[in-house]
Amino acid sequence: MVATVMVEKLGLKVEDHPDPYQLTWLKKGNVVKVKHRCLVQFSIGTRYSDEVWCEVVPMDACHILLGRPW
């Protein structure tokens, strides 16, 4: 997942999600509708880089979330 704010600030291209759905675990007590996605390129250190399709959602805890928080 990627924060809406990050997508806007970096000018990433957004497209409609092919299978929209709702999340209930991201924001306590609220339902978040996932309607968009974008392809995000990222790197960890100097040796690893990749790109991943991320759902675009409003988040204030982080900019990108790779996996579900446990």
Side-chain angles (χ1 to χ4, degrees), residues 3 7 12 15-17 21 23 29 32-33 38 46 51 60 62 65:
V7 171
L12 299 176
E15 64 178 45
D16 290 337
H17 198 286
Y21 63 97
L23 292 173
V32 176
K33 294 180 181 179
C38 71
T46 58
E51 59 184 17
D60 53 8
C62 60
L65 178 62

Side-chain angles (χ1 to χ4, degrees), residues 8-70:
E8 292 170 355
K9 287 190 177 187
L10 294 178
L12 299 176
K13 183 180 174 186
V14 176
E15 64 178 45
D16 290 337
H17 198 286
D19 189 24
Y21 63 97
Q22 296 181 354
L23 292 173
T24 57
W25 56 265
L26 189 62
K27 289 178 105 175
K28 196 171 189 173
N30 294 326
V31 173
V32 176
K33 294 180 181 179
V34 177
K35 298 186 258 180
H36 298 99
R37 70 179 187 168
C38 71
L39 189 61
V40 177
Q41 296 177 345
F42 67 98
S43 63
I44 300 173
T46 58
R47 295 185 178 200
Y48 182 81
S49 63
D50 204 351
E51 59 184 17
V52 64
W53 282 104
C54 293
E55 281 84 0
V56 180
V57 295
M59 291 191 298
D60 53 8
C62 60
H63 290 104
I64 190 167
L65 178 62
L66 303 173
R68 182 177 175 171
W70 299 102

